[in-house]
Amino acid sequence: AKSLGRNGFQFFDEELRDEIQTRARLGSELRGAIAGNGLTLHFQPLYSMPGNRLSACEALVRWHHPTQGMIPPDQFVGLAEENGLIHDLGEWVLRTACNEAADWPAQVKVAVNVSPIQLRNPRFIRIVEEALAQSGLPPERLEIEITENIFVQNSATNREILQKLGRIGCSIVLDDFGTGYSSLGYLRSFQFQKIKIDRSFVQELPERGAAGIIRAIISLAQSMDIPITAEGVETQDQWAHLNDLGCNQVQGFLLGRPQPADMIRQAILTHA
Ligand code: C2E
Ligand code: CA
Ligand code: CA
Ligand code: CA
């Protein structure tokens, strides 16, 4: 075991140095994974409500690490945002997701998560256009999911980029709604095509507080003509509550887990 140095600072320095080295190593391994074929996409189905048809799938990135096995995105997307790899990673995700979805029936859309950092790339619009052109996926079938954090800083440029994406024909979805910087002003500043209620609210259903918040979000969205998706639906009971509340689309382990491309193709054939 590591001994505590002559003073606490020395110990802290060592820990910090280890931490920095680990992150640097992980970063260069991630670079390799993006360039080679260390990443894959899983797809999770979204179902319309009412109707219960599979209407879209969300692409979720996975990293097959040679020694650590499958690493979930929560453990490397943040790192990629810090070291700039998010641009290459995000481009790979967009291309791969569009290529896959181009083979699905025309009524099934694909949702891709985009980090606010990616919007700062001057090439971003080009990257989206190229992913669409090369795959042959019609823009109307691509949904770009973006979290509330996008509104933390300079909304003017962000709004401009979102507008450009809209002009290409993609849908812009506000992800994880209710968790971040919940000023409602931004709902007026940009017309989203869809709002996703964060799973933290859904998972507290049927608790009354959560039900009240979800009801309020749905009525706000309805008054603005924006469809609502609920994510993280795990139980029949949650599903029934969301149905009663007038939710338009649901996603969660109850309906289907994120799964490899060949398995989602089977699900699409039976449920779309
Ligand atoms: P997210 O966009 O909110 O994606 C939904 C996450 O919730 C996924 O976790 C999914 O597996 C999980 N989930 C879905 N249904 C349920 C459920 O019923 N119960 C529970 N407990 N969890 C459920 P995942 O795949 O680990 O992704 C985590 C986050 O990583 C995503 O959250 C997203 O913010 C980010 N992410 C994933 N793929 C990408 C990507 O390609 N690009 C970027 N920028 N971020 C990504
Ligand atoms: Ca998402
Ligand atoms: Ca989400
Ligand atoms: Ca989330």
Side-chain angles (χ1 to χ4, degrees):
K2 212 173 355 176
S3 68
L4 184 66
R6 227 170 305 143
N7 54 51
F9 291 111
Q10 194 181 334
F11 178 66
F12 182 73
D13 281 352
E14 281 175 17
E15 288 234 305
L16 191 63
R17 194 197 53 211
D18 287 354
E19 168 76 22
I20 289 169
Q21 282 175 348
T22 305
R23 287 183 80 76
R25 185 171 0 96
L26 207 63
S28 69
E29 286 171 347
L30 180 57
R31 186 187 309 280
I34 298 167
N37 43 21
L39 300 182
T40 53
L41 288 184
H42 280 190
F43 294 90
Q44 187 177 29
L46 284 78
Y47 283 78
S48 58
M49 187 183 252
N52 210 29
R53 305 310 305 172
L54 192 164
S55 50
C57 297
E58 179 174 0
L60 295 157
V61 68
R62 303 286 182 259
W63 178 9
H64 289 287
H65 189 280
T67 56
Q68 286 169 248
M70 180 107 96
I71 305 183
D74 286 337
Q75 285 173 38
F76 63 89
V77 169
L79 173 67
E81 288 176 331
E82 280 166 31
N83 65 16
L85 284 175
I86 192 68
H87 298 292
D88 288 345
L89 188 155
E91 182 168 352
W92 181 87
V93 169
L94 266 165
R95 285 179 188 281
T96 310
C98 289
N99 281 335
E100 193 58 41
D103 292 337
W104 300 343
Q107 72 273 27
V108 182
K109 299 183 178 191
V110 66
V112 174
N113 293 285
V114 164
S115 157
I117 311 251
Q118 289 176 259
L119 300 188
R120 295 188 204 153
N121 183 351
R123 285 184 54 241
F124 183 68
I125 298 292
R126 265 337 300 266
I127 289 170
V128 174
E129 286 174 333
E130 280 174 20
L132 289 167
Q134 287 177 5
S135 62
L137 185 75
E140 298 72 34
R141 289 178 54 203
L142 176 61
E143 299 184 321
I144 304 274
E145 295 196 0
I146 197 126
T147 62
E148 285 180 307
N149 296 343
I150 181 185
F151 294 99
V152 174
Q153 25 101 356
N154 186 358
S155 48
T157 4
N158 281 336
R159 200 159 56 228
E160 223 172 273
I161 294 164
L162 294 184
Q163 274 160 357
K164 280 187 189 158
L165 282 173
R167 260 179 259 134
I168 295 175
C170 319
S171 308
I172 318 295
V173 178
L174 186 54
D175 200 0
D176 296 352
F177 186 75
T179 52
Y181 297 79
S182 299
S183 148
L184 295 179
Y186 57 68
L187 282 184
R188 256 188 330 164
S189 72
F190 183 79
Q191 177 68 38
F192 289 94
Q193 271 84 42
K194 186 157 107 183
I195 291 173
K196 274 186 142 179
I197 302 181
D198 191 67
R199 92 170 175 249
S200 55
F201 301 109
V202 174
Q203 298 201 321
E204 278 170 26
L205 280 175
E207 193 250 302
R208 278 186 61 221
I213 290 172
I214 292 174
R215 185 179 295 115
I217 295 174
I218 290 177
S219 82
L220 176 73
Q222 280 173 345
S223 75
M224 302 181 82
D225 264 328
I226 309 174
I228 284 279
T229 297
E231 63 177 20
V233 183
E234 291 182 354
T235 69
Q236 196 65 51
D237 199 34
Q238 289 164 352
W239 184 92
H241 273 84
L242 291 161
N243 194 35
D244 288 346
L245 291 169
C247 186
N248 306 100
Q249 195 178 44
V250 277
Q251 172 182 12
F253 293 170
L254 175 71
L255 301 128
R257 294 197 170 240
Q259 49 203 288
D262 52 338
M263 286 176 69
I264 202 71
R265 262 178 255 148
Q266 284 306 310
I268 289 171
L269 285 178
T270 21
H271 301 293

